[in-house]
């Protein structure tokens, strides 16, 4: 035992603060929290906490428990205290764990888990040994508590447990021990045993896999355990095995599948949820499709049945009320993360798969890999329709979504009968689950479902009249999933039968008297806006009047979603919003809200985000509102930078929220794009000067701030270049520094915007400008490695290629010697991009480089010709350049040209001959 002893005065101060913390008044709580945080600077603070937990039995249990939880939260201090303090804290929590009543033992158990995580089991082997010994204790409560510690440790950091200490591996002893304890007469012990074993599956622990047959036998033996917690962990273990080592399950797959189908229907929802995870995991792995395919006919109907709301869900949802006038609780409003705008290029939809933004129904967020568009579950929408926690209904819907992507029409064939029964059931809960399933299958089964949509879409529109709010809200979500079909401009008849009624129906739901329906209607309408785009223009007046009416009707949470719907509408219809009638409808409610909010109100962030889209769409028509918006944004930028400077000088202050700064920069970008040169007098008269503030933002440590600042540089270059020019020497130095071939994930968007904005600046300087010449070589030296880097994201390749082309257009003599180095990669980066002005100027740059250095394209001629024929409508100037270059190649060496073209794929040969006569 360590010789550390507390100082009486210090002990009393910490004790009294903990006693005071039991006071529930929030103003007192804040002061206490601040004081407790200040104690972390006391070198032996954790020893005091351990002493209060362990050595003061006369103290109130609540005070000792709070000390234990403070100890857990400050466990990282173990790494920085003296050996004496660390040894005291470790021995004290072990002592408290062994010899204390349940409440104190529980707190000490949490401390042991935290301590082992921080210092690692290899550095506290006697703790592991003591815990293993306790598994054989004659005291059942101590036995169970020790196993509880093991379960938490194995779950939180299995790799730290799978180690060697002095030549032996503790797990080589512990795994057989856990296998033996899976037979324990006490259910809780069996549950801990199966759980502990399962957590070593994902890390491929050799100590576990040495006993894999015994482990699988243990799972089959426990599969029919009477205790639901044991069965849940058996299902969890089988899910983990399927994900990590499916080959171990394949010989027994028919038995496993039977068991999992049976367990998916278990009366205990936690068991059913774990079993349902099995089908989600199975479906997600494309290599297992052949094994899953024969089970489809049995699995899909079971998943469909799991999607019916349970009684507990209905109690929680309280879904039948007309609650539009009931204020939201602040806890209902999730924190929003504002990331800033990113400059990207649209790919040609006819040549490659476009990925639309989806709003999901299941409430689990997965990060989408840029190259991976298998499926995604998105959390920004209807997820709030249900309880925020992952549950059986959501898991089943997610599994059905993935099965639809994997098996398409085959899934629909299996479910057509059961789905019809649900959709036309007299029981509203059955109908609701059928509509959810229909939405879940939308992406994967669209080709098979499309012939039925002429019946299903009117059915869904009719269902918007259902008396049950939960049915109306799910119908909104599912209509959103089929919005791209409804909005196709196929014919006047299609528009009148499907698009207009869907739009009108969803607008009715936007103004529903139930808040959940409002939310689902608003989200689905935003999806419809994205898909419909300019098709909405003829209906703008009624759409705007409905959305504006919702501003008066909505409570706090849905107002934030409404901002998104208004911003999405502006993005969708663009300059059509300039009509004075529309400006008059939309701007008064937005300016009224703007006036009510202070500069540090978090609701200002979604409003500014919405206004950024509105300013771009309204363009010059926004001028009457521009001055106060511009001044406020500049003021927020200035104040945010001052707050950040204060934080850098005194890190004990809370770090300021960067969202206000980011969204203000983005709104300034919107003003620059929308108003162009009209912004010049506003910029010229601001104090402090916007461009000086912008230069500071480019150096900001937070990547999203730099990202939005680089976007603003590019937008100002396009709209007010003469005002930007005097500041460009400082700006370009920062821009060049930001260009990185392999940026960290969090820097990719900033790097993208920097790569794009240098091209905009180059264009505005003009041909062979001597001032810009100084930056050409440093820029090219950064941009070419980005273009050639195999791991750089595709969006970065594209932006780098466009900027190389634009710099080449202006400075061909400096860039053309590098052409052989990047020509093929350049053409590969841009041939799939949709025709637009940016691509046009970049290709004019490439053609200028080829004219200047024809030999530079020789080895990349196939890729150059492929990129040319992928254009649909090049500008007359660009088309003439293509013609001149191709004719030049042919005339220079007709036989050589003919021989080379003969090796091209037929499509390229045909289009070159048809369009350019070569």
């Amino acid at each position: 035992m360590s010789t550390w002893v507390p100082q009486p005065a210090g002990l009393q101060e910490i004790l009294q603060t903990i006693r005071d913390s039991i006071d529930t008044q929030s103003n007192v709580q804040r002061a206490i929290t601040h004081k407790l945080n200040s104690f972390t600077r006391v070198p032996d603070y954790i020893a005091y906490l351990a002493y209060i937990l362990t050595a003061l039995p006369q103290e109130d249990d609540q005070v000792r428990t709070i000390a234990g939880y403070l100890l857990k939260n400050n466990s990282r201090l173990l790494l920085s205290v003296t050996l004496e303090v660390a040894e005291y804290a470790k021995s004290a929590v072990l002592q408290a764990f062994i010899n204390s009543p349940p409440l104190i033992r529980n707190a000490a158990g949490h401390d042991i888990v935290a301590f082992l995580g921080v210092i690692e089991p290899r550095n506290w082997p006697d703790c592991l040994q003591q815990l293993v010994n306790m598994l054989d204790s004659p005291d059942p409560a101590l036995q169970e508590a020790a196993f509880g510690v093991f379960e938490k440790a194995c779950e939180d950091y299995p790799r730290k447990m799978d180690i060697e200490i002095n030549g032996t591996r503790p797990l080589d002893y512990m795994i057989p021990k856990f296998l033996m304890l899976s037979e324990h007469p006490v259910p809780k012990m069996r549950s801990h045993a199966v759980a502990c074993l399962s957590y070593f599956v994902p890390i491929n622990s050799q100590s576990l896999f040495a006993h894999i047959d015994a482990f699988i036998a243990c799972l089959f033996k426990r599969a029919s355990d009477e205790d639901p917690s044991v069965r849940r962990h058996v299902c969890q273990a089988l899910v983990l095995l399927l994900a990590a080592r499916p080959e171990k399950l394949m010989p027994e797959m028919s038995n496993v599948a039977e068991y999992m189908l049976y367990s998916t229907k278990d009366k205990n929802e936690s068991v059913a949820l774990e079993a349902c995870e099995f089908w989600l995991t199975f479906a997600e792995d494309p290599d297992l499709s052949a094994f899953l395919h024969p089970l489809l006919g049995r699995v899909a109907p079971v998943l469909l049945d799991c999607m019916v709301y349970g009684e507990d869900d209905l109690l929680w949802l309280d879904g039948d009320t007309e609650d539009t006038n009931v204020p939201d609780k602040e806890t209902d409003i999730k924190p929003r993360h504002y990331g800033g705008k990113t400059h990207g290029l649209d790919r040609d939809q006819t040549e490659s798969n476009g990925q639309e933004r989806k709003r999901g129904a299941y409430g689990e967020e997965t990060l989408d890999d840029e190259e991976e568009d298998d499926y995604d579950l998105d959390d920004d929408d209807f997820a709030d329709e249900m309880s925020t926690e992952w549950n059986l209904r959501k898991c089943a819907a997610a599994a059905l979504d993935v099965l639809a992507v994997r098996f398409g029409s085959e899934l629909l064939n299996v479910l057509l009968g059961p789905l019809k029964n649900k959709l036309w059931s007299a029981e509203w809960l059955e109908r609701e689950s059928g509509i959810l399933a229909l939405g879940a299958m939308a992406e994967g089964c669209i080709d098979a479902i499309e012939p039925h949509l002429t019946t299903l879409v009117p059915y869904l529109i009719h269902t918007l009249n259902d008396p049950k709010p939960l049915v109306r809200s799910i119908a909104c979500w599912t209509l959103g999933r089929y919005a791209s079909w409804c909005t196709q401009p196929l014919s006047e008849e299609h528009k009148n039968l499907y698009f207009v009624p869907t739009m009108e129906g969803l607008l009715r739901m936007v103004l529903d008297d139930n808040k959940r329906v409002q939310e689902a209607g608003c989200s689905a309408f935003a999806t419809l806006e994205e898909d419909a785009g300019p098709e909405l223009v003829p209906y703008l007046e009624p759409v705007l009047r409905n959305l504006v009416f919702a501003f008066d009707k909505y409570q706090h949470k849905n107002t934030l979603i409404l901002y998104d719907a208004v911003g999405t509408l502006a993005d969708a219809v663009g300059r059509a919003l300039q009509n004075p009638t529309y400006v008059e409808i939309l701007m008064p409610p937005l300016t009224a809200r703007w006036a009510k909010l202070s500069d540090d109100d978090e609701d200002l962030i979604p409003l500014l985000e919405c206004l950024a889209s509105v300013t771009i769409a309204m363009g010059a028509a926004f001028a009457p509102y521009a001055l106060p918006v511009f001044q406020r944004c500049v003021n927020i930028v200035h104040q945010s930078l001052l707050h950040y400077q204060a934080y850098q000088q005194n890190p004990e202050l809370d770090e300021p929220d960067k969202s206000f700064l980011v969204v203000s920069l983005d709104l300034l970008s919107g003003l620059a794009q929308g108003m162009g040169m009209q912004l010049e007098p506003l910029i010229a008269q601001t104090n402090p000067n916007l461009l000086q503030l912008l230069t500071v933002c480019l150096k900001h440590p937070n990547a999203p701030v730099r990202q939005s600042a680089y976007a603003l540089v590019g937008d100002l270059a396009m709209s007010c270049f003469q005002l930007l020019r005097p500041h460009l020497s400082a700006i370009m130095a920062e821009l060049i520094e930001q260009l990185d071939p392999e940026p960290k994930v969090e820097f990719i968007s900033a790097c993208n915007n920097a790569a794009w904005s240098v091209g905009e600046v180059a264009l505005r300087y003009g041909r062979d400008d001597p001032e810009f010449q100084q930056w050409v070589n440093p820029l090219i030296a950064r941009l070419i490695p980005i273009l050639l880097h195999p791991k750089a994201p595709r969006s970065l390749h594209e932006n780098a290629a466009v900027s190389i082309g634009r710099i080449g257009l202006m400075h061909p003599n400096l860039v053309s010697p590098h052409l052989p180095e990047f020509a093929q990669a350049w053409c590969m980066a841009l041939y799939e991009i949709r025709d637009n002005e940016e691509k046009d100027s970049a290709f004019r740059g490439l053609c200028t480089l080829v004219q200047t250095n024809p030999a530079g394209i020789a080895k990349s001629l196939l890729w150059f010709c492929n990129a040319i024929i992928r254009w649909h409508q090049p500008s007359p100037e660009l088309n003439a350049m293509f013609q001149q270059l191709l004719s030049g190649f042919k005339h220079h060496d007709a036989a050589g040209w003919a021989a080379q073209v003969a090796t091209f794929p037929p499509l390229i040969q045909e289009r070159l001959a048809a369009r350019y006569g070569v």
Side-chain angles (χ1 to χ4, degrees):
M1 191 79 178
S2 162
T3 55
W4 180 88
V5 288
Q7 298 295 318
L11 178 64
Q12 278 311 311
E13 187 179 8
I14 293 174
L15 255 178
Q16 192 53 50
T17 310
I18 293 175
R19 289 179 193 134
D20 293 345
S21 74
I22 298 166
D23 189 317
T24 52
Q25 288 176 309
S26 59
N27 56 337
V28 178
Q29 283 287 10
R30 268 195 294 274
I32 302 258
T33 304
H34 188 71
K35 191 166 182 183
L36 287 170
N37 288 340
S38 73
F39 288 148
T40 58
R41 291 192 286 281
V42 175
D44 47 358
Y45 176 48
I46 58 171
Y48 280 99
L49 294 173
Y51 184 85
I52 295 168
L53 175 72
T54 311
L56 296 178
Q58 72 281 11
E59 196 60 53
D60 186 272
D61 274 4
Q62 192 175 1
V63 169
R64 294 172 68 194
T65 305
I66 291 171
Y69 283 110
L70 288 169
L71 188 53
K72 181 191 87 158
N73 294 342
N74 289 289
S75 56
R76 293 209 68 76
L77 295 174
L78 271 177
L79 300 173
S80 55
V81 296
T82 64
L83 186 62
E84 183 188 33
V85 168
E87 288 303 318
Y88 176 80
K90 283 154 57 182
S91 59
V93 295
L94 264 175
Q95 186 188 333
F97 186 73
I98 296 165
N99 298 322
S100 299
L103 203 60
I104 306 303
R105 173 176 284 159
N106 189 37
H110 284 288
D111 292 335
I112 292 170
V113 174
F115 281 18
L116 280 169
V118 169
I119 57 178
E120 302 204 11
R122 72 173 76 239
N123 298 313
W124 198 11
D126 56 322
C127 175
L128 277 191
Q129 189 58 58
Q130 287 200 50
L131 286 169
V132 170
N133 294 343
M134 288 177 216
L135 295 179
D136 294 322
S137 164
D139 175 0
L142 182 59
Q143 216 184 17
E144 202 271 302
F147 222 162
V149 168
F150 268 127
E151 182 179 334
K152 196 80 187 88
C154 295
E155 180 180 12
D156 289 354
Y157 38 82
R159 287 182 199 283
K160 292 179 184 176
M161 301 289 286
D162 191 16
I163 38 94
E164 198 172 282
I165 303 176
N166 302 328
T168 61
R169 303 184 72 80
L171 279 190
D172 287 349
Y173 173 76
M174 287 158 60
I175 296 286
K177 181 86 179 160
F178 294 161
L179 284 166
M180 192 181 77
L181 288 166
S182 72
E183 307 271 354
H184 199 284
V186 176
K188 198 90 172 128
M189 295 293 282
R190 299 197 298 274
S191 174
H192 285 316
V194 177
C196 285
L197 289 162
S198 71
Y199 294 128
F200 294 106
V201 173
I203 66 163
N204 277 313
S205 166
Q206 288 319 299
S207 299
L208 175 68
F209 283 109
H211 299 277
I212 187 67
D213 294 332
F215 176 46
I216 290 175
C218 150
L219 294 178
F220 284 145
K221 196 163 188 181
R222 296 273 64 86
S224 54
D225 198 295
E226 80 258 10
D227 185 75
S229 174
V230 178
R231 297 200 305 277
R232 180 172 78 84
H233 285 301
V234 169
C235 291
Q236 180 185 44
L238 290 168
V239 171
L240 294 169
L241 273 169
L242 184 71
R245 299 292 291 270
E247 76 283 357
K248 296 291 182 189
L249 288 183
M250 286 310 142
E252 294 287 349
M253 186 42 82
S254 62
N255 289 334
V256 173
E258 285 298 332
Y259 175 65
M260 284 306 200
L261 278 167
Y262 177 76
S263 297
T264 307
K265 297 182 270 192
D266 198 295
K267 294 279 186 285
N268 183 292
E269 181 163 336
S270 66
V271 177
L273 174 57
E274 283 301 338
C276 192
E277 291 278 3
F278 182 83
W279 305 116
L280 180 55
T281 303
F282 212 155
E284 281 171 341
D285 188 341
D287 296 334
L288 299 180
S289 289
F291 298 97
L292 183 54
H293 186 253
L295 300 168
L296 197 60
R298 297 185 61 203
V299 173
V302 170
L303 292 174
L304 188 61
D305 287 337
C306 289
M307 289 159 67
V308 181
Y309 273 121
E311 286 178 21
D312 291 349
D313 291 325
L314 294 175
L315 285 172
W316 188 92
L317 285 163
D318 185 28
D320 280 353
T321 50
E322 291 188 0
D323 56 0
T324 189
N325 296 319
V326 179
D328 295 328
K329 299 190 198 90
E330 288 309 302
T331 50
D332 292 341
I333 296 156
K334 287 185 188 169
R336 293 165 64 94
H337 302 290
Y338 182 72
K341 59 182 273 185
T342 306
H343 190 84
L345 296 155
D346 291 332
R347 285 185 196 87
D348 200 322
Q349 295 295 310
T350 58
E351 307 281 1
S352 69
N353 290 324
Q355 206 23 17
E356 60 184 308
R357 183 164 122 213
K358 288 192 288 284
R359 293 174 158 79
Y362 329 124
E364 181 161 270
E365 198 158 10
T366 62
L367 289 172
D368 233 14
D369 184 88
E370 192 173 18
E371 309 297 332
E372 175 69 65
D373 59 7
D374 233 355
Y375 74 103
D376 80 26
L377 309 177
D378 195 337
D379 186 27
D380 65 349
D381 57 336
F382 179 72
D384 300 325
E385 174 75 20
M386 298 167 276
S387 65
T388 51
E389 68 193 33
W390 189 234
N391 60 18
L392 179 61
R393 167 187 164 86
K394 293 178 196 170
C395 185
L400 203 62
D401 184 349
V402 190
L403 285 173
V405 171
R406 198 69 71 222
F407 297 110
S409 59
E410 290 179 86
L411 177 69
L412 186 65
N413 292 341
V414 165
L415 285 183
L416 207 52
L419 196 55
K420 276 185 175 169
N421 292 341
K422 284 192 181 290
L423 291 174
W424 276 272
S425 166
E427 178 53 59
W428 75 268
L429 284 168
E430 294 291 320
R431 285 201 308 281
E432 194 279 343
S433 67
I435 296 167
L436 170 61
L438 190 61
M441 293 158 64
E443 184 193 355
C445 293
I446 185 63
D447 292 338
I449 289 176
E450 196 162 338
H452 303 279
L453 286 178
T454 51
T455 308
L456 288 172
V457 167
Y459 164 84
L460 289 169
I461 293 166
H462 175 71
T463 304
L464 297 175
N465 300 313
D466 195 284
K468 290 287 180 184
L470 290 172
V471 177
R472 298 200 297 277
S473 62
I474 199 65
C476 289
W477 177 71
T478 297
L479 275 170
R481 295 278 280 182
Y482 291 100
S484 56
W485 181 82
C486 299
T487 56
Q488 286 174 344
L490 297 177
S491 65
E492 201 62 27
E493 185 187 25
H494 181 90
K495 184 161 74 174
N496 292 331
L497 283 175
Y498 308 111
F499 170 54
V500 174
T502 300
M503 176 182 68
E504 289 173 343
L506 289 176
L507 278 174
R508 265 202 342 274
M509 296 304 97
V510 167
L511 298 178
D512 197 89
D513 284 333
N514 178 275
K515 290 194 286 193
R516 185 173 284 105
V517 178
Q518 292 169 1
E519 180 182 356
C522 220
S523 289
F525 193 75
T527 305
L528 185 86
E529 290 169 344
E530 283 177 330
D531 287 322
E535 296 293 313
L536 277 170
V537 171
Y539 312 98
L540 259 177
E541 186 169 344
V543 166
L544 284 168
R545 290 199 188 281
N546 272 271
L547 294 179
V548 163
F549 189 74
F551 274 116
D552 289 331
K553 185 170 183 128
Y554 279 12
Q555 298 297 331
H556 187 180
K557 179 183 171 187
N558 286 349
T559 300
L560 305 182
I561 297 163
L562 187 57
Y563 288 141
D564 179 53
V566 171
T568 305
L569 179 67
D571 295 337
V573 301
R575 288 293 160 97
L577 211 55
Q578 287 186 318
N579 181 318
T581 307
Y582 306 153
V583 177
E584 275 302 304
I585 296 170
L586 182 57
M587 286 312 296
L590 290 181
T591 47
R593 291 199 128 50
W594 161 273
K596 278 184 195 165
L597 299 172
S598 63
D599 284 356
D600 58 355
D601 190 318
E602 289 190 355
D603 286 0
L604 192 62
I605 294 167
L607 174 56
L608 295 180
E609 189 182 353
C610 165
L611 278 171
S613 294
V614 169
T615 54
I616 295 169
M618 285 187 178
F622 193 79
Y625 306 94
L627 180 62
V629 171
F630 182 84
Q631 285 176 333
R632 188 170 190 179
C633 285
V634 172
N635 185 50
I636 291 172
V637 170
H638 185 213
Q639 291 305 317
S640 298
L641 292 173
L642 290 176
H643 289 152
Y644 202 85
Q645 186 181 28
Y647 163 71
Q648 286 177 309
Q649 290 163 357
N650 179 9
E652 286 187 11
L653 294 172
D654 289 336
E655 182 172 357
D657 183 355
K658 64 182 179 298
S659 303
F660 291 97
L661 175 52
V662 171
V663 76
S664 296
L665 289 168
D666 287 350
L667 179 44
L668 289 166
S669 271
L671 284 165
Q673 287 176 68
M675 297 182 60
M677 293 297 286
Q678 283 182 281
L679 209 55
E680 280 210 34
L682 302 186
I683 294 175
Q685 69 192 46
T686 53
N687 188 23
N689 184 281
L690 170 63
L691 297 158
Q692 289 168 338
L693 295 175
L694 179 56
T695 311
V696 179
C697 292
L698 296 175
K699 299 184 172 85
H700 201 284
N702 281 332
V705 176
R706 296 199 304 279
Q707 171 189 333
S708 290
Y710 293 125
L712 181 53
V713 169
D715 289 324
L716 289 172
M718 292 163 73
S719 58
C720 329
F721 180 69
Q722 291 313 317
L723 282 176
L724 186 66
R725 188 166 184 162
H727 300 268
L728 274 168
S729 58
I731 287 172
M732 289 303 293
E734 294 299 330
L735 279 176
I736 292 165
E737 196 60 35
Q738 186 68 43
L739 299 172
D740 182 353
E742 199 173 348
K744 291 179 185 169
V745 173
E746 62 270 29
F747 295 166
I748 289 171
S749 295
C751 194
N752 254 329
N753 286 359
W756 165 73
S757 61
V758 295
E760 291 295 344
V761 170
L763 281 186
R764 301 307 177 275
Y765 266 105
R767 181 73 182 247
D768 295 322
D769 184 277
E771 186 183 343
F772 191 85
Q773 272 181 359
Q774 63 182 310
W775 300 310
V776 171
N777 285 329
L779 282 169
I780 293 298
R782 293 275 187 145
L783 290 167
I784 291 176
I786 289 175
L787 185 57
L788 299 179
H789 200 293
K791 288 189 178 170
R794 183 159 59 173
S795 58
L796 200 47
H797 282 156
E798 292 162 1
N799 278 316
V802 167
S803 285
I804 290 170
R806 291 170 145 193
I807 295 167
L809 181 62
M810 295 299 138
H811 300 271
N813 293 326
L814 292 175
V815 181
S816 62
H818 301 280
L819 185 60
E821 201 183 333
F822 66 76
Q824 180 175 325
W826 194 99
C827 295
M828 288 169 74
L830 292 185
Y831 78 87
E832 282 190 324
I833 299 302
R834 194 179 289 170
D835 294 5
N836 63 25
E837 197 285 319
E838 276 180 43
K839 182 181 172 184
D840 195 279
S841 61
F843 267 82
R844 280 185 280 121
L846 184 72
C847 290
T848 306
L849 295 174
V850 175
Q851 287 166 350
T852 312
N853 178 14
I857 200 71
K859 290 185 177 170
S860 311
L861 207 52
L862 167 61
W863 286 100
F864 181 51
C865 291
N866 177 56
I868 289 174
I869 61 107
R870 292 298 190 116
W871 275 87
H872 297 293
Q873 285 185 306
S875 65
E877 184 183 356
L878 178 60
N879 206 40
M881 292 174 98
F882 287 158
Q883 183 71 64
Q884 183 187 355
L885 285 171
L886 293 168
S887 301
F889 291 143
K890 184 176 178 180
H891 294 142
H892 174 68
D893 177 7
W897 170 258
Q900 186 149 15
V901 170
T903 65
F904 291 176
L907 177 69
I908 298 179
Q909 293 187 43
E910 288 162 20
R911 288 193 186 172
L912 285 175
R915 293 184 189 176
Y916 301 106
V918 294

